Amino acid sequence: MRRGKAPSSRRAEIMHIYRCYAPGGKELTAKSLLEFLHKEQIEIAASERTAEQMIDKYEIHEKARQERTMTFEGFLRFMESKDCSIFNKEHTTVYQDMEQPLCHYFISSSHNTYLTGDQLLGRSHLFAYVSALRKGCRCLEIDCWDGPDLEPVVYHGYTLTSKILFRDVIVTIEHHAFEVSPYPVILSLENHCTPPQQEIMARYLRGILGNRLLDMTVNNNFSRELPSPNKKKITVAMELSDLVIYTKSVKFISFSHSSGNQKFYENTSLGENKARKLARNSGCEFALHNSRFLTRIYPAGSRTMSSNYNPQEFWNVGSQLVALNFQSLGLPMDLNNGKFQDNGGCGYVLKPHFLRTNETGFDPNCLQQNFKPVYLLIKVISGYNLPVPKHSKGINPYVRVEIHGAPADNCRKQTDPVKRTSLNPRWDENMNFAIQVPDLVLVRFVVKDQNSILSDDFIGQYTLPFTSMKKGYRWVPLKSREGYSLDPASLFVYVWYC
């Protein structure tokens, strides 16, 4: 019997690929594995030494390793490893230019960070700050109000949300600010305190944060542009006198007024409704504005249940601080988590060149530029070990692939459901997309259970930037509604674009 012979029922789709490169029942040689890496996975830089390293890493049979061959078990382990993940492994570390001014980056941002629930009765908790920071968030909001005994408190004003001490919030941030990312944290303080308690706030900021607080201009240079993220400090955005250095908040009047009067170190905050109107009616001017200045977008006050808007429409015009309720689940946070897993999950993603320059006149609503469309093929082949909801005896899974980007690119396609199977459902369906602005696109895979009686049940999802998506046969690691890994649940797909 050939070494490594696996049951025919086990991942037949991968066995088919294996036999294409190891015909006649033979094992895969290093040369054949290299051919697979070049031809199917488009790993152009791979060499025969690379193939041998893959054999050493994934082959479980000692004799096969000695002979520099790979059995099906070894190939299966390789195909289900991070070396074959759909997400580009090189993007799991910081790889982008981090010397650009802050306004040239998308920055992971939270709204009402202290809340764990709704905006009316929800609980305020220090762990909400810890959770946001551990997700790579780099802009935290703190709503500050006068408290008893000259102790400023944090809560959602004029509501029944619980209160926490401002001092404890700053201590928590100091402990966790740079736990997962070394890059700057911006504290967006909505200050409702009287002058005496503002003095207490300033004292806590200086005393607790110490030399981590940016309390003077970088190199005493205040002449032209914002510093880069490599100036790894905590900065403050508020109206609290001397501590406002690079992120002083000013009221937005118009783009023409900002062009003539706004200083580079000043930023504006816009509610989603006003920002949406500007993005749709003045997209080019909005994008030009954001090439020079920081803009923070926040959810409408009517979102009392802490729901979120779709952040994509504001990223499309280059808004840097697109703030979301991190405690709320669903599409907006899936997009946010997908976008900011790029660049090592550091919370800063460099904007495309056309959103960093004032020369292109980019308008996401009217693509008159000479953008060369990218043609994307995604073949949804199969799934593996999909979770079955507790109330269900079985699932009828289907896969929806969503494209989120400029308005012209937004679309979705889905497979037919497969009846009553979760262990290894097969779809083998091709989906074709034409993408006009690939640098803005996020691709979201959603697996659902078709239920004719109730609404379709969510099973899992995975979101990533198009620019981080690898070609070839790839596995898609599914995540829960809360954003946690559902390993080993995954999809097996084939990706090609040109």
Side-chain angles (χ1 to χ4, degrees), residues 56-110:
D56 288 337
K57 187 175 181 179
Y58 296 109
E59 180 52 55
I60 60 176
H61 295 280
E62 179 63 29
K63 188 174 181 182
R65 286 200 302 269
Q66 292 175 354
E67 294 175 354
R68 288 293 187 252
T69 60
M70 182 176 273
T71 63
F72 175 67
E73 281 88 349
F75 187 70
L76 181 61
R77 292 181 72 208
F78 165 62
M79 291 296 288
E80 294 180 337
S81 73
K82 290 186 177 180
D83 284 310
C84 286
S85 170
I86 194 169
F87 188 81
N88 190 335
K89 190 166 64 172
E90 294 179 1
H91 293 189
T92 61
T93 58
V94 175
Y95 68 96
Q96 295 177 343
D97 178 7
M98 302 303 289
E99 296 291 344
Q100 300 281 330
L102 285 176
C103 59
H104 286 181
Y105 297 85
F106 296 117
I107 304 171
S108 181
S109 304
S110 172

Side-chain angles (χ1 to χ4, degrees), residues 321-377:
L321 304 165
V322 180
L324 298 177
N325 291 298
F326 270 46
Q327 75 273 31
S328 298
L329 310 177
L331 171 65
M333 276 307 299
D334 289 346
L335 296 179
N336 196 78
N337 293 337
K339 188 175 193 68
F340 288 105
Q341 73 169 313
D342 194 8
N343 204 29
C346 75
Y348 285 80
V349 173
L350 189 64
K351 297 196 294 187
H353 179 265
F354 54 80
L355 288 176
R356 307 195 311 263
T357 177
N358 59 8
E359 298 174 358
T360 59
F362 174 77
D363 184 348
N365 306 299
C366 185
L367 299 176
Q368 297 178 348
Q369 296 79 10
N370 294 321
F371 282 93
K372 183 180 179 181
V374 170
Y375 297 97
L376 168 66
L377 163 67

Side-chain angles (χ1 to χ4, degrees), residues 249-262 266-270 274-275 277-278 282 285-286 289 293 295:
S249 296
V250 296
K251 183 178 180 180
F252 177 81
I253 297 174
S254 67
F255 292 127
S256 60
H257 181 271
S258 294
S259 179
N261 297 278
Q262 188 170 335
E266 295 175 331
N267 73 82
T268 53
S269 290
L270 297 170
K274 184 172 184 178
K277 183 177 180 180
L278 292 170
S282 307
E285 289 179 281
F286 209 163
H289 174 87
F293 307 112
T295 301

